[in-house]
Amino acid sequence: MDPEIRMEFHIIGENFSPEEFTKLINISPTRVWHVGDSVNESKLLRKKNAWCFSKKVNNESLDINDYISPIVDELLPKRKIISSFCATQDLYLEISCVIYIINQTPILHLDPELLTKLHKLNVHVDFDIILTE
């Protein structure tokens, strides 16, 4: 059984409006959350606001680059707008990669071209690898 791979770009901060960012960048988020929102329907509450964006991957690839690249390629043309907005708002940018290992592991390397694009976006990459039974 293949691993389950979830990939999402986040812009996170305390005092910014995800809706304002959506208007500025003209890309619809996959989801947003606000301070005080419930975390996955639990009793935990969000401490920051976030604008989140993901893209569906059409194939069953095991290459992590195939999951990150579509997100980065859509956001990269807007990098100056993103950079300017984030600098004035003290925001944190990350690509969150959650990998559920079942029987097979994905290919965990980042191509130099993708690394260059990530650097241009000034984004952190966070990998959470979860072994399932």
Side-chain angles (χ1 to χ4, degrees):
M1 193 172 208
D2 290 340
E4 180 183 339
I5 301 171
R6 297 182 190 171
M7 198 74 53
E8 193 170 56
F9 175 84
H10 299 152
I11 296 179
I12 302 168
E14 291 181 26
N15 298 313
F16 90 103
S17 165
E19 294 76 19
E20 179 185 336
F21 182 74
T22 299
K23 289 178 188 173
L24 183 68
I25 197 169
N26 199 26
I27 295 175
S28 295
T30 308
R31 64 189 177 127
V32 300
W33 67 72
H34 298 89
V35 173
D37 287 352
S38 172
V39 177
N40 298 328
E41 299 179 22
S42 72
K43 291 182 181 181
L44 297 174
L45 300 179
R46 302 279 184 189
K47 296 179 182 176
K48 297 186 178 186
N49 297 331
W51 185 92
C52 308
F53 179 73
S54 62
K55 300 276 291 184
K56 296 261 187 213
V57 175
N58 292 331
N59 59 15
E60 297 291 326
S61 175
L62 293 177
D63 187 342
I64 214 73
N65 292 279
D66 293 338
Y67 292 83
I68 299 175
S69 290
I71 295 170
V72 170
D73 289 344
E74 182 141 351
L75 296 173
L76 195 59
K78 308 278 185 163
R79 74 180 178 273
K80 289 183 182 178
I81 297 168
I82 294 169
S83 177
S84 176
F85 183 84
C86 291
T88 63
Q89 302 282 329
D90 190 32
L91 302 175
Y92 178 79
L93 285 74
E94 79 170 10
I95 291 185
S96 172
C97 311
V98 180
I99 303 164
Y100 296 92
I101 305 281
I102 300 169
N103 290 329
Q104 194 171 7
T105 60
I107 301 166
L108 292 175
H109 80 279
L110 299 176
D111 294 332
E113 181 182 340
L114 179 58
L115 287 169
T116 299
K117 291 175 182 179
L118 290 167
H119 177 72
K120 286 179 181 177
L121 282 171
N122 195 29
V123 64
H124 297 254
V125 181
D126 175 56
F127 288 99
D128 293 324
I129 301 172
I130 301 162
L131 182 60
T132 62
E133 295 185 90

